[in-house]
Every structure is written in C-alpha cells, then in structure tokens.
C-alpha cells in the first residue's frame, strides 16, 4: 500500500526532477534544463501517446511496454532523486518519439487552420492511418 502511494511522486521525480525550487547542488543545477525540457514537452508527449494509442498501436506497443517496464520500477524504487534523474535517459529517449509525433501533429493542425483562414481550401486532415496502395 505504501509503495502504491509513493508511485505518483516517484513518477514525477523520475520524469521531471529536479524541480527548480529544490535545486541545491551543482549536479541538480546541471540537470535542471533537462527537467524543464520535459515539463515543457509533456503536452506534446501526451498528445503523441494518445495518437499512437488510437492510430498506431501495433507499431508502438513494444516501445510503450519497454518504457513502462523501465519507468514503473524506477518510480517505485528511486527514493534518491539524484539517481532518478541520471537514469531516466534509459526510457526517455524512447518517449521522445511520442513527443515528436505530438509536436508534428500540432504543427500540421496549425498549418491547416492558417491555410483555411487565408481562404484557401482546407487541406485534408493529417492522417496516421496506413495508406492503401492501389
């Protein structure tokens, strides 16, 4: 029961630590830009995960299982924040794929709406589904 209560805090420390108001040492200060980057990119990560789960699950399930398989034990066991933010690169490099997917999707939507406001025909909505070859 205690481990389950610690899971959300462990997850936040592993993914986003160190938080700016807890920076004391030089090592934490050096890791701060990476943590801030993941804070800023978390909406794109969530968008990319949602798109992958909806449209590309067969292609992305292996990356998701591996990332969750590394992230969850670290979230349970990493009581030391310094250890957590040094080891998170093992799964965050794979999560960056979903960040890129969410970022590109948002850029395409903005381009489509900008073209529609200019009076041009709205381009087809970006699709993640496989195209059938004729």
């Amino acid at each position: 029961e205690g481990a389950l209560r610690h899971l959300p805090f462990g997850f936040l420390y592993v993914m986003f630590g160190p938080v700016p108001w807890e920076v004391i040492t030089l090592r934490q200060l050096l890791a701060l830009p990476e943590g801030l980057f993941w804070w800023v990119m978390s909406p794109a990560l969530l968008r990319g995960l949602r798109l992958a789960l909806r449209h590309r699950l067969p292609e992305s399930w292996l990356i998701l299982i591996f990332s969750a398989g590394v992230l969850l034990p670290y979230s349970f066991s990493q009581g030391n924040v310094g250890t957590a933010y040094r080891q998170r690169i093992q799964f965050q490099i794979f999560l960056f794929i979903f960040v890129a997917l969410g970022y590109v999707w948002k850029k395409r939507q903005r381009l489509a709406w900008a073209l529609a406001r200019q009076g041009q025909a709205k381009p087809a909505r970006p699709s993640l589904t496989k195209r059938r070859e004729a």
Side-chain angles (χ1 to χ4, degrees):
E1 183 181 323
L4 289 177
R5 273 189 271 134
H6 177 69
L7 182 64
F9 299 110
F11 172 79
L12 288 175
Y13 281 139
V14 170
M15 280 294 291
F16 304 112
V19 289
W21 54 87
E22 292 181 352
V23 172
I24 298 171
T25 65
L26 181 62
R27 281 189 191 171
Q28 290 175 333
L29 185 63
L30 293 174
L32 184 61
E34 180 189 355
L36 292 176
F37 171 79
W38 281 101
W39 279 102
V40 170
M41 289 293 131
S42 60
L45 174 64
L46 294 175
R47 191 179 312 114
L49 286 171
R50 182 176 49 105
L51 290 168
L53 290 174
R54 282 186 178 175
H55 301 287
R56 294 289 189 171
L57 185 60
E59 292 88 355
S60 58
W61 71 269
L62 188 61
I63 298 169
L64 292 170
I65 289 176
F66 173 77
S67 298
V70 176
L71 176 61
L72 289 176
Y74 281 167
S75 297
F76 278 124
S77 65
Q78 296 296 332
N80 182 356
V81 178
T83 305
Y85 67 75
R86 284 193 300 262
Q87 293 178 346
R88 67 180 168 203
I89 193 65
Q90 295 175 8
F91 61 89
Q92 281 184 337
I93 194 73
F94 296 105
L95 293 180
F96 192 71
I97 295 168
F98 300 108
V99 169
L101 176 64
Y103 181 76
V104 168
W105 181 265
K106 187 69 170 179
K107 283 286 207 186
R108 285 184 179 178
Q109 282 185 330
R110 286 183 183 164
L111 178 63
W113 287 111
L115 291 174
R117 277 187 299 216
Q118 292 176 356
Q120 297 178 4
K122 185 177 175 186
R125 189 169 184 198
S127 176
L128 292 176
T129 58
K130 293 182 180 177
R131 293 185 179 147
R132 295 183 186 187
E133 295 180 24

